[in-house]
């Protein structure tokens, strides 16, 4: 999903805006017309993959006309849901959504939690955190929620110590102890796996790790625990659309035994069903 974020490039922003404008009419209709298809904005991996499994294997029998629209950033899915260009989205967790709604004045609400993508620390240069040298550079996501999440991961594994009471907006300035004198390179979340040849290690969101052919369950130096984890990813809609019959059908399908087995078989522990 953050867990976000700015668009990867100005060109990408323009392309996404054009794409939404070109199909804005059908998107808006789908968001308001319960007889039309439900258009869902999603990150490519694993969200769109899970949705496409539902579309190809479960939706027809349930009487759901589902359209999956992929986005590579963490901003457009929410703004498109807010303005009605799409009817729902599936890419984010609760801390990120709370931060997004607060800062942008949007009214997106969760419907049902589907899965967790554990955040991990990866490296092309060392095999363990003990091997990180003094002054090593660590890439972290630059959006407030995912940066805090990354720093909490490092804190939980004894790599740094955060100040007491630090919340979901922690930054490197909130580090109380940094025994390896690590420096932090703040990047858009989607860029963190691409930085691995340039930094000593990077904290990478689960979906971007999978897209980069990293295997969180085996490749991460340290990995988030799933126990009591608040970062489960969910289906979300604009406030007031929770009772849309198409949304209810999709929520039920996304938390079905068939989808749980699909997640377990396809992702082998790199993505964890949360239901």
């Amino acid at each position: 999903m953050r867990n976000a974020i700015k668009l990867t490039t100005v060109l990408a922003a323009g392309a996404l805006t054009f794409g939404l404008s070109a199909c804005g009419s059908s998107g808006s209709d789908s968001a308001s017309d319960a007889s039309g298809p439900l258009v869902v904005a999603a990150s490519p991996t694993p969200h769109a993959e899970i949705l496409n499994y539902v579309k190809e294997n479960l939706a027809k029998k349930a009487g759901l006309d589902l359209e999956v629209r992929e986005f590579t950033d963490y901003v457009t899915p929410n703004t498109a849901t807010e303005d009605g260009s799409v009817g729902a989205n599936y890419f984010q967790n609760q801390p990120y959504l709370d931060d997004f709604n607060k800062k942008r004045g949007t009214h997106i609400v969760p419907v049902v939690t589907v899965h967790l993508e554990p955040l991990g620390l990866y490296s092309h240069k060392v095999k363990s955190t003990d091997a990180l040298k003094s002054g090593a550079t660590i890439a972290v996501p630059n959006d407030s929620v995912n940066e805090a999440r990354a720093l909490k991961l490092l804190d939980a594994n004894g790599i740094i110590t955060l100040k007491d009471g630090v919340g979901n907006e922690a930054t490197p300035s909130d580090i109380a102890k940094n025994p390896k004198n690590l420096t932090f390179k703040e990047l858009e979340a989607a860029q963190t796996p691409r930085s691995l040849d340039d930094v000593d290690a990077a904290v990478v969101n689960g979906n971007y790790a999978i897209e980069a052919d990293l295997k969180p369950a085996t490749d991460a130096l340290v990995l988030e625990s799933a126990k009591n984890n608040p970062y489960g990813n969910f289906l979300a809609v604009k406030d007031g659309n929770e009772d849309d019959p198409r949304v209810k059908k999709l929520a039920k399908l996304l938390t079905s035994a068939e989808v749980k087995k699909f997640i377990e078989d396809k992702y082998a522990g790199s993505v964890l069903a949360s239901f």
Side-chain angles (χ1 to χ4, degrees), residues 5-8 12 16 42-44 69-77 188-190 194 207-208 211:
I5 302 182
K6 303 172 184 176
L7 294 177
T8 54
L16 286 170
S43 298
R69 196 170 294 171
E70 296 185 11
F71 294 89
T72 57
D73 72 295
Y74 287 166
V75 174
T76 315
E188 181 191 359
R194 303 172 198 170
N207 60 316
Y208 293 130
E211 288 176 15

PDB file of all heavy atoms in Angstrom, residues 5-8 12 16 42-44 69-77 188-190 194 207-208 211:
ATOM      1  N   ILE A   5       1.676   9.692  -1.373  1.00  0.00           N
ATOM      2  CA  ILE A   5       2.784   9.694  -2.215  1.00  0.00           C
ATOM      3  C   ILE A   5       2.540  10.593  -3.410  1.00  0.00           C
ATOM      4  O   ILE A   5       1.449  10.902  -3.779  1.00  0.00           O
ATOM      5  CB  ILE A   5       3.083   8.282  -2.676  1.00  0.00           C
ATOM      6  CG1 ILE A   5       3.303   7.452  -1.428  1.00  0.00           C
ATOM      7  CG2 ILE A   5       4.385   8.259  -3.413  1.00  0.00           C
ATOM      8  CD1 ILE A   5       3.649   6.050  -1.717  1.00  0.00           C
ATOM      9  N   LYS A   6       3.625  10.899  -4.022  1.00  0.00           N
ATOM     10  CA  LYS A   6       3.575  11.721  -5.214  1.00  0.00           C
ATOM     11  C   LYS A   6       3.573  10.801  -6.416  1.00  0.00           C
ATOM     12  O   LYS A   6       4.003   9.675  -6.343  1.00  0.00           O
ATOM     13  CB  LYS A   6       4.799  12.614  -5.241  1.00  0.00           C
ATOM     14  CG  LYS A   6       4.928  13.488  -3.987  1.00  0.00           C
ATOM     15  CD  LYS A   6       6.247  14.210  -3.983  1.00  0.00           C
ATOM     16  CE  LYS A   6       6.427  15.000  -2.696  1.00  0.00           C
ATOM     17  NZ  LYS A   6       7.734  15.641  -2.607  1.00  0.00           N
ATOM     18  N   LEU A   7       3.145  11.295  -7.546  1.00  0.00           N
ATOM     19  CA  LEU A   7       3.228  10.504  -8.770  1.00  0.00           C
ATOM     20  C   LEU A   7       4.688  10.311  -9.118  1.00  0.00           C
ATOM     21  O   LEU A   7       5.532  11.150  -8.834  1.00  0.00           O
ATOM     22  CB  LEU A   7       2.505  11.221  -9.914  1.00  0.00           C
ATOM     23  CG  LEU A   7       1.000  11.366  -9.741  1.00  0.00           C
ATOM     24  CD1 LEU A   7       0.420  12.165 -10.904  1.00  0.00           C
ATOM     25  CD2 LEU A   7       0.335  10.016  -9.658  1.00  0.00           C
ATOM     26  N   THR A   8       4.993   9.203  -9.798  1.00  0.00           N
ATOM     27  CA  THR A   8       6.391   8.872 -10.064  1.00  0.00           C
ATOM     28  C   THR A   8       7.081   9.921 -10.894  1.00  0.00           C
ATOM     29  O   THR A   8       8.223  10.248 -10.655  1.00  0.00           O
ATOM     30  CB  THR A   8       6.487   7.504 -10.763  1.00  0.00           C
ATOM     31  OG1 THR A   8       5.653   7.523 -11.933  1.00  0.00           O
ATOM     32  CG2 THR A   8       6.016   6.402  -9.852  1.00  0.00           C
ATOM     33  N   ALA A  12       4.033  10.820 -15.866  1.00  0.00           N
ATOM     34  CA  ALA A  12       3.077   9.820 -15.395  1.00  0.00           C
ATOM     35  C   ALA A  12       1.813  10.491 -14.909  1.00  0.00           C
ATOM     36  O   ALA A  12       0.704  10.029 -15.142  1.00  0.00           O
ATOM     37  CB  ALA A  12       3.702   8.985 -14.279  1.00  0.00           C
ATOM     38  N   LEU A  16      -1.881   9.779 -16.375  1.00  0.00           N
ATOM     39  CA  LEU A  16      -2.987   9.301 -15.556  1.00  0.00           C
ATOM     40  C   LEU A  16      -4.167  10.261 -15.639  1.00  0.00           C
ATOM     41  O   LEU A  16      -5.322   9.840 -15.722  1.00  0.00           O
ATOM     42  CB  LEU A  16      -2.530   9.162 -14.099  1.00  0.00           C
ATOM     43  CG  LEU A  16      -1.615   7.971 -13.816  1.00  0.00           C
ATOM     44  CD1 LEU A  16      -1.039   8.071 -12.403  1.00  0.00           C
ATOM     45  CD2 LEU A  16      -2.371   6.659 -13.982  1.00  0.00           C
ATOM     46  N   ALA A  42      -6.829   0.103  -8.512  1.00  0.00           N
ATOM     47  CA  ALA A  42      -5.995  -0.782  -7.708  1.00  0.00           C
ATOM     48  C   ALA A  42      -4.536  -0.678  -8.109  1.00  0.00           C
ATOM     49  O   ALA A  42      -4.207  -0.396  -9.261  1.00  0.00           O
ATOM     50  CB  ALA A  42      -6.464  -2.232  -7.869  1.00  0.00           C
ATOM     51  N   SER A  43      -3.650  -0.919  -7.145  1.00  0.00           N
ATOM     52  CA  SER A  43      -2.241  -1.104  -7.457  1.00  0.00           C
ATOM     53  C   SER A  43      -2.088  -2.409  -8.227  1.00  0.00           C
ATOM     54  O   SER A  43      -2.824  -3.374  -7.966  1.00  0.00           O
ATOM     55  CB  SER A  43      -1.412  -1.161  -6.174  1.00  0.00           C
ATOM     56  OG  SER A  43      -1.495   0.044  -5.456  1.00  0.00           O
ATOM     57  N   PRO A  44      -1.131  -2.478  -9.167  1.00  0.00           N
ATOM     58  CA  PRO A  44      -1.007  -3.691  -9.996  1.00  0.00           C
ATOM     59  C   PRO A  44      -0.801  -4.971  -9.196  1.00  0.00           C
ATOM     60  O   PRO A  44      -1.410  -6.001  -9.488  1.00  0.00           O
ATOM     61  CB  PRO A  44       0.203  -3.378 -10.883  1.00  0.00           C
ATOM     62  CG  PRO A  44       0.226  -1.885 -10.969  1.00  0.00           C
ATOM     63  CD  PRO A  44      -0.212  -1.407  -9.613  1.00  0.00           C
ATOM     64  N   ARG A  69      -9.081  -1.214 -12.833  1.00  0.00           N
ATOM     65  CA  ARG A  69      -8.273  -0.160 -13.441  1.00  0.00           C
ATOM     66  C   ARG A  69      -7.005   0.024 -12.599  1.00  0.00           C
ATOM     67  O   ARG A  69      -7.076   0.327 -11.406  1.00  0.00           O
ATOM     68  CB  ARG A  69      -9.075   1.138 -13.506  1.00  0.00           C
ATOM     69  CG  ARG A  69      -8.489   2.176 -14.446  1.00  0.00           C
ATOM     70  CD  ARG A  69      -9.461   3.321 -14.647  1.00  0.00           C
ATOM     71  NE  ARG A  69     -10.666   2.883 -15.344  1.00  0.00           N
ATOM     72  CZ  ARG A  69     -11.747   3.638 -15.503  1.00  0.00           C
ATOM     73  NH1 ARG A  69     -11.770   4.849 -14.997  1.00  0.00           N
ATOM     74  NH2 ARG A  69     -12.798   3.174 -16.149  1.00  0.00           N
ATOM     75  N   GLU A  70      -5.847  -0.172 -13.209  1.00  0.00           N
ATOM     76  CA  GLU A  70      -4.583  -0.165 -12.473  1.00  0.00           C
ATOM     77  C   GLU A  70      -3.946   1.225 -12.420  1.00  0.00           C
ATOM     78  O   GLU A  70      -3.971   1.966 -13.400  1.00  0.00           O
ATOM     79  CB  GLU A  70      -3.603  -1.155 -13.104  1.00  0.00           C
ATOM     80  CG  GLU A  70      -4.065  -2.599 -13.023  1.00  0.00           C
ATOM     81  CD  GLU A  70      -3.027  -3.578 -13.539  1.00  0.00           C
ATOM     82  OE1 GLU A  70      -1.855  -3.157 -13.762  1.00  0.00           O
ATOM     83  OE2 GLU A  70      -3.366  -4.765 -13.732  1.00  0.00           O
ATOM     84  N   PHE A  71      -3.372   1.544 -11.252  1.00  0.00           N
ATOM     85  CA  PHE A  71      -2.624   2.773 -11.050  1.00  0.00           C
ATOM     86  C   PHE A  71      -1.331   2.446 -10.322  1.00  0.00           C
ATOM     87  O   PHE A  71      -1.305   1.578  -9.456  1.00  0.00           O
ATOM     88  CB  PHE A  71      -3.432   3.774 -10.220  1.00  0.00           C
ATOM     89  CG  PHE A  71      -4.667   4.267 -10.920  1.00  0.00           C
ATOM     90  CD1 PHE A  71      -5.880   3.590 -10.786  1.00  0.00           C
ATOM     91  CD2 PHE A  71      -4.623   5.393 -11.714  1.00  0.00           C
ATOM     92  CE1 PHE A  71      -7.018   4.031 -11.438  1.00  0.00           C
ATOM     93  CE2 PHE A  71      -5.769   5.845 -12.365  1.00  0.00           C
ATOM     94  CZ  PHE A  71      -6.965   5.161 -12.232  1.00  0.00           C
ATOM     95  N   THR A  72      -0.264   3.154 -10.662  1.00  0.00           N
ATOM     96  CA  THR A  72       1.028   2.874 -10.052  1.00  0.00           C
ATOM     97  C   THR A  72       1.364   3.823  -8.905  1.00  0.00           C
ATOM     98  O   THR A  72       2.415   3.678  -8.283  1.00  0.00           O
ATOM     99  CB  THR A  72       2.155   2.948 -11.097  1.00  0.00           C
ATOM    100  OG1 THR A  72       2.139   4.243 -11.709  1.00  0.00           O
ATOM    101  CG2 THR A  72       1.960   1.888 -12.182  1.00  0.00           C
ATOM    102  N   ASP A  73       0.503   4.783  -8.617  1.00  0.00           N
ATOM    103  CA  ASP A  73       0.757   5.702  -7.517  1.00  0.00           C
ATOM    104  C   ASP A  73      -0.273   5.493  -6.419  1.00  0.00           C
ATOM    105  O   ASP A  73      -1.227   4.731  -6.573  1.00  0.00           O
ATOM    106  CB  ASP A  73       0.713   7.148  -8.006  1.00  0.00           C
ATOM    107  CG  ASP A  73      -0.705   7.582  -8.331  1.00  0.00           C
ATOM    108  OD1 ASP A  73      -1.288   7.021  -9.278  1.00  0.00           O
ATOM    109  OD2 ASP A  73      -1.246   8.461  -7.634  1.00  0.00           O
ATOM    110  N   TYR A  74      -0.072   6.179  -5.291  1.00  0.00           N
ATOM    111  CA  TYR A  74      -0.962   6.038  -4.144  1.00  0.00           C
ATOM    112  C   TYR A  74      -1.893   7.234  -3.954  1.00  0.00           C
ATOM    113  O   TYR A  74      -2.521   7.367  -2.916  1.00  0.00           O
ATOM    114  CB  TYR A  74      -0.131   5.867  -2.866  1.00  0.00           C
ATOM    115  CG  TYR A  74       0.548   4.535  -2.687  1.00  0.00           C
ATOM    116  CD1 TYR A  74       1.545   4.398  -1.719  1.00  0.00           C
ATOM    117  CD2 TYR A  74       0.205   3.420  -3.428  1.00  0.00           C
ATOM    118  CE1 TYR A  74       2.167   3.178  -1.523  1.00  0.00           C
ATOM    119  CE2 TYR A  74       0.827   2.210  -3.243  1.00  0.00           C
ATOM    120  CZ  TYR A  74       1.822   2.092  -2.282  1.00  0.00           C
ATOM    121  OH  TYR A  74       2.447   0.900  -2.075  1.00  0.00           O
ATOM    122  N   VAL A  75      -1.957   8.127  -4.939  1.00  0.00           N
ATOM    123  CA  VAL A  75      -2.794   9.318  -4.822  1.00  0.00           C
ATOM    124  C   VAL A  75      -4.043   9.214  -5.693  1.00  0.00           C
ATOM    125  O   VAL A  75      -5.170   9.384  -5.219  1.00  0.00           O
ATOM    126  CB  VAL A  75      -1.992  10.583  -5.185  1.00  0.00           C
ATOM    127  CG1 VAL A  75      -2.898  11.811  -5.207  1.00  0.00           C
ATOM    128  CG2 VAL A  75      -0.854  10.796  -4.193  1.00  0.00           C
ATOM    129  N   THR A  76      -3.846   8.915  -6.970  1.00  0.00           N
ATOM    130  CA  THR A  76      -4.955   8.912  -7.923  1.00  0.00           C
ATOM    131  C   THR A  76      -6.092   7.983  -7.548  1.00  0.00           C
ATOM    132  O   THR A  76      -7.266   8.341  -7.750  1.00  0.00           O
ATOM    133  CB  THR A  76      -4.445   8.586  -9.338  1.00  0.00           C
ATOM    134  OG1 THR A  76      -3.266   9.347  -9.604  1.00  0.00           O
ATOM    135  CG2 THR A  76      -5.497   8.912 -10.387  1.00  0.00           C
ATOM    136  N   PRO A  77      -5.841   6.772  -7.015  1.00  0.00           N
ATOM    137  CA  PRO A  77      -6.983   5.917  -6.672  1.00  0.00           C
ATOM    138  C   PRO A  77      -7.963   6.577  -5.705  1.00  0.00           C
ATOM    139  O   PRO A  77      -9.186   6.409  -5.836  1.00  0.00           O
ATOM    140  CB  PRO A  77      -6.321   4.684  -6.047  1.00  0.00           C
ATOM    141  CG  PRO A  77      -4.987   4.621  -6.702  1.00  0.00           C
ATOM    142  CD  PRO A  77      -4.555   6.058  -6.839  1.00  0.00           C
ATOM    143  N   GLU A 188      10.051   8.360  -3.111  1.00  0.00           N
ATOM    144  CA  GLU A 188       8.694   7.880  -3.343  1.00  0.00           C
ATOM    145  C   GLU A 188       8.700   6.367  -3.153  1.00  0.00           C
ATOM    146  O   GLU A 188       9.655   5.681  -3.550  1.00  0.00           O
ATOM    147  CB  GLU A 188       8.250   8.237  -4.749  1.00  0.00           C
ATOM    148  CG  GLU A 188       6.823   7.780  -5.044  1.00  0.00           C
ATOM    149  CD  GLU A 188       6.477   7.899  -6.502  1.00  0.00           C
ATOM    150  OE1 GLU A 188       7.320   8.354  -7.281  1.00  0.00           O
ATOM    151  OE2 GLU A 188       5.358   7.510  -6.857  1.00  0.00           O
ATOM    152  N   ALA A 189       7.659   5.823  -2.556  1.00  0.00           N
ATOM    153  CA  ALA A 189       7.624   4.396  -2.219  1.00  0.00           C
ATOM    154  C   ALA A 189       7.923   3.505  -3.421  1.00  0.00           C
ATOM    155  O   ALA A 189       8.638   2.505  -3.311  1.00  0.00           O
ATOM    156  CB  ALA A 189       6.265   4.033  -1.613  1.00  0.00           C
ATOM    157  N   ALA A 190       7.389   3.864  -4.583  1.00  0.00           N
ATOM    158  CA  ALA A 190       7.591   3.045  -5.776  1.00  0.00           C
ATOM    159  C   ALA A 190       9.055   3.005  -6.211  1.00  0.00           C
ATOM    160  O   ALA A 190       9.469   2.083  -6.923  1.00  0.00           O
ATOM    161  CB  ALA A 190       6.731   3.567  -6.923  1.00  0.00           C
ATOM    162  N   ARG A 194      14.010   0.228  -6.651  1.00  0.00           N
ATOM    163  CA  ARG A 194      14.925   0.598  -7.732  1.00  0.00           C
ATOM    164  C   ARG A 194      16.201   1.239  -7.195  1.00  0.00           C
ATOM    165  O   ARG A 194      17.180   1.399  -7.933  1.00  0.00           O
ATOM    166  CB  ARG A 194      14.227   1.559  -8.703  1.00  0.00           C
ATOM    167  CG  ARG A 194      12.943   0.999  -9.290  1.00  0.00           C
ATOM    168  CD  ARG A 194      12.186   2.055 -10.078  1.00  0.00           C
ATOM    169  NE  ARG A 194      10.793   1.657 -10.260  1.00  0.00           N
ATOM    170  CZ  ARG A 194       9.848   2.455 -10.742  1.00  0.00           C
ATOM    171  NH1 ARG A 194      10.152   3.689 -11.100  1.00  0.00           N
ATOM    172  NH2 ARG A 194       8.616   2.026 -10.879  1.00  0.00           N
ATOM    173  N   ASN A 207       3.890  -4.565  -1.911  1.00  0.00           N
ATOM    174  CA  ASN A 207       3.467  -4.642  -3.314  1.00  0.00           C
ATOM    175  C   ASN A 207       4.597  -4.271  -4.261  1.00  0.00           C
ATOM    176  O   ASN A 207       4.789  -4.912  -5.299  1.00  0.00           O
ATOM    177  CB  ASN A 207       2.238  -3.756  -3.564  1.00  0.00           C
ATOM    178  CG  ASN A 207       2.468  -2.290  -3.266  1.00  0.00           C
ATOM    179  OD1 ASN A 207       3.067  -1.933  -2.253  1.00  0.00           O
ATOM    180  ND2 ASN A 207       1.982  -1.421  -4.123  1.00  0.00           N
ATOM    181  N   TYR A 208       5.387  -3.263  -3.893  1.00  0.00           N
ATOM    182  CA  TYR A 208       6.503  -2.870  -4.751  1.00  0.00           C
ATOM    183  C   TYR A 208       7.631  -3.896  -4.703  1.00  0.00           C
ATOM    184  O   TYR A 208       8.356  -4.077  -5.689  1.00  0.00           O
ATOM    185  CB  TYR A 208       7.007  -1.484  -4.363  1.00  0.00           C
ATOM    186  CG  TYR A 208       6.013  -0.390  -4.643  1.00  0.00           C
ATOM    187  CD1 TYR A 208       5.670   0.543  -3.676  1.00  0.00           C
ATOM    188  CD2 TYR A 208       5.385  -0.291  -5.890  1.00  0.00           C
ATOM    189  CE1 TYR A 208       4.752   1.550  -3.940  1.00  0.00           C
ATOM    190  CE2 TYR A 208       4.457   0.700  -6.155  1.00  0.00           C
ATOM    191  CZ  TYR A 208       4.153   1.627  -5.183  1.00  0.00           C
ATOM    192  OH  TYR A 208       3.235   2.614  -5.444  1.00  0.00           O
ATOM    193  N   GLU A 211       6.560  -6.636  -7.124  1.00  0.00           N
ATOM    194  CA  GLU A 211       6.708  -6.169  -8.500  1.00  0.00           C
ATOM    195  C   GLU A 211       8.174  -6.186  -8.944  1.00  0.00           C
ATOM    196  O   GLU A 211       8.477  -6.372 -10.122  1.00  0.00           O
ATOM    197  CB  GLU A 211       6.147  -4.754  -8.639  1.00  0.00           C
ATOM    198  CG  GLU A 211       4.631  -4.688  -8.563  1.00  0.00           C
ATOM    199  CD  GLU A 211       4.120  -3.256  -8.605  1.00  0.00           C
ATOM    200  OE1 GLU A 211       4.896  -2.348  -8.975  1.00  0.00           O
ATOM    201  OE2 GLU A 211       2.949  -3.046  -8.254  1.00  0.00           O
TER     202      GLU A 211
END
